[in-house]
Amino acid sequence: MTSTQSSQSSQPKISNGMAAVNGHKQTFWMPEIASYFVAGGAAGATSRTVVSPLERLKIIQQVQPRTSDGQYKGVWRSLVRMWEEEGFKGFMRGNGINCLRIVPYSAVQFTTYEQLKKWFTAYGTKELDTPKRLASGALAGITSVCATYPLDLVRSRLSIATASIPLQTEQALPSSSVMTASGAKQALASAYHTSSSSLNQTIFKRAELTMVGMTLKVMREEGGVPGLYRGMVTTAVGVAPYVGINFATYEALRGVMTPPGKNNVMRKLACGALAGSISQTLTYPFDVLRRKMQVTGMSHGGLGYHYNGAFDALGSIIRTEGLRGLYRGLWPNLLKVAPSIATSFFTYELVKELLVTP
């Protein structure tokens, strides 16, 4: 009896998963997965709420047409403008559905990552090297995207629906974009400076500026349920390397910046901030393509985007805006990503430590 207990206590924690094979599923396996899921959800909700204004500004700058007047330019000026036109609600616009999306998204992502690491290392019998971390992160990213994509699309629509983005006429659209005559008339009538209230009256009904309302609008006008998955392949392709690089970089930095005895809060936050900034910068063009694909059906919003797939969107952006167009909104996004990822990893580890039994 004593020898059995001592041998069990000497095994590393990661081997708890092997207990499922020996019939102790309820004692070891399920609570551990639940702790990953809860910690991941808490991390996502906390991190996104903290940076909600910058998240919305990033989306607006990514999709607004290239015109000389009325654009959201500069981080501080844009945030002030958002506050003056829409108040605190403008900062939080789309954050409700963002949290509704990010809680299961982050929960699925962290849980899948933890489980894939165990699977790739045969539950601790093989070394967890960088390629395994990258593969685990990439697959976790794809899984989380597929599980929550409709919420991401609706959140993007809500984020820009009430922004006073300058609307385009048919002549101003890129060569691969098409706008109906009624859409052009609406754009001319709305001009360049539309507040949230006037936009509600001329373009969106008030009932459509809710999660359910926008979801029904997309399904009604863009081909039913498939319309909610517009741009998902592009998103998955972009998220896979982003999440893979993010997790691998974070764990590599933790090994360097948080050695035994120097494992304090500021060092942990710095690891998350650096990991997020590096991974986002390397994969940012995919994020721009994702947003463009998500709003391509909003012809009545005056944006006028219409692409025949990701490659058409990529070619159109490069042709009309140059390579610089693939990095529109990068600066506010980096300002968002650093504290967001830092908060996410820190919250995840904190909650997980509280839930997982030593």
Side-chain angles (χ1 to χ4, degrees):
M1 181 79 175
T2 305
S3 60
T4 303
Q5 291 177 342
S6 62
S7 63
Q8 288 180 345
S9 62
S10 64
Q11 294 177 347
K13 292 181 182 179
I14 198 169
S15 65
N16 285 348
M18 293 298 292
V21 179
N22 297 325
H24 300 286
K25 195 170 185 178
Q26 294 299 322
T27 304
F28 296 98
W29 182 256
M30 293 305 292
E32 190 174 41
I33 294 179
S35 68
Y36 296 154
F37 200 84
V38 173
T46 303
S47 62
R48 290 307 173 95
T49 300
V50 167
V51 297
S52 178
L54 290 170
E55 172 70 14
R56 187 183 178 214
L57 176 58
K58 180 202 73 170
I59 295 174
I60 291 173
Q61 290 190 339
Q62 284 178 336
V63 303
Q64 65 184 350
R66 293 186 66 220
T67 54
S68 57
D69 299 318
Q71 281 193 322
Y72 282 74
K73 296 181 179 179
V75 177
W76 178 250
R77 283 187 298 167
S78 296
L79 291 175
V80 171
R81 174 180 168 181
M82 197 182 297
W83 175 267
E84 291 176 347
E85 292 180 352
E86 304 178 62
F88 181 75
K89 288 184 178 179
F91 282 169
M92 294 293 113
R93 181 76 65 184
N95 187 58
I97 195 167
N98 196 22
C99 287
L100 184 63
R101 176 192 72 91
I102 202 63
V103 168
Y105 175 88
S106 183
V108 169
Q109 189 175 102
F110 276 104
T111 303
T112 305
Y113 179 71
E114 295 281 8
Q115 295 304 105
L116 285 173
K117 283 199 304 181
K118 294 178 181 179
W119 186 78
F120 279 126
T121 59
Y123 297 96
T125 60
K126 296 180 181 179
E127 181 185 0
L128 181 62
D129 52 19
T130 299
K132 290 186 178 68
R133 289 193 180 101
L134 288 171
S136 299
L139 292 173
I142 293 173
T143 303
S144 56
V145 165
C146 293
T148 61
Y149 188 77
L151 292 172
D152 187 35
L153 183 139
V154 173
R155 189 262 304 199
S156 296
R157 299 292 182 91
L158 286 174
S159 293
I160 67 173
T162 59
S164 56
I165 298 176
L167 305 178
Q168 290 182 307
T169 62
E170 190 173 2
Q171 290 79 8
L173 295 176
S175 58
S176 64
S177 303
V178 177
M179 179 187 263
T180 62
S182 60
K185 289 179 180 178
Q186 280 187 320
L188 289 170
S190 301
Y192 287 99
H193 300 286
T194 56
S195 65
S196 59
S197 59
S198 64
L199 189 61
N200 289 352
Q201 296 172 0
T202 60
I203 297 175
F204 294 99
K205 297 177 182 178
R206 185 171 298 275
E208 294 173 344
L209 297 174
T210 63
M211 301 177 196
V212 176
M214 185 61 73
T215 301
L216 294 176
K217 177 180 174 64
V218 172
M219 294 177 64
R220 183 174 61 251
E221 299 180 358
E222 301 178 36
V225 174
L228 295 173
Y229 289 88
R230 187 188 300 275
M232 189 182 74
V233 175
T234 303
T235 300
V237 170
V239 165
Y242 166 71
V243 177
I245 294 171
N246 193 30
F247 276 113
T249 304
Y250 176 75
E251 294 196 358
L253 290 172
R254 281 295 305 271
V256 176
M257 297 178 63
T258 58
K262 296 183 178 180
N263 194 18
N264 57 47
V265 174
M266 293 307 299
R267 286 176 177 266
K268 290 181 179 179
L269 291 173
C271 289
L274 285 173
S277 299
I278 292 170
S279 58
Q280 185 69 94
T281 301
L282 293 175
T283 61
Y284 190 74
F286 287 106
D287 196 35
V288 173
L289 281 176
R290 170 172 60 138
R291 298 303 177 193
K292 294 279 191 177
M293 293 296 294
Q294 286 177 342
V295 301
T296 186
M298 295 183 71
S299 58
H300 296 294
L303 296 177
Y305 297 121
H306 181 75
Y307 302 117
N308 298 316
F311 288 106
D312 181 40
L314 178 62
S316 176
I317 294 171
I318 295 176
R319 184 168 58 253
T320 59
E321 306 176 45
L323 292 176
R324 188 176 181 180
L326 295 174
Y327 287 89
R328 289 174 65 183
L330 176 61
W331 176 236
N333 193 50
L334 288 178
L335 292 179
K336 171 190 77 74
V337 162
S340 175
I341 300 300
T343 304
S344 179
F345 276 119
F346 178 76
T347 304
Y348 174 74
E349 292 190 355
L350 179 64
V351 176
K352 186 176 70 170
E353 288 176 3
L354 293 175
L355 295 177
V356 176
T357 304

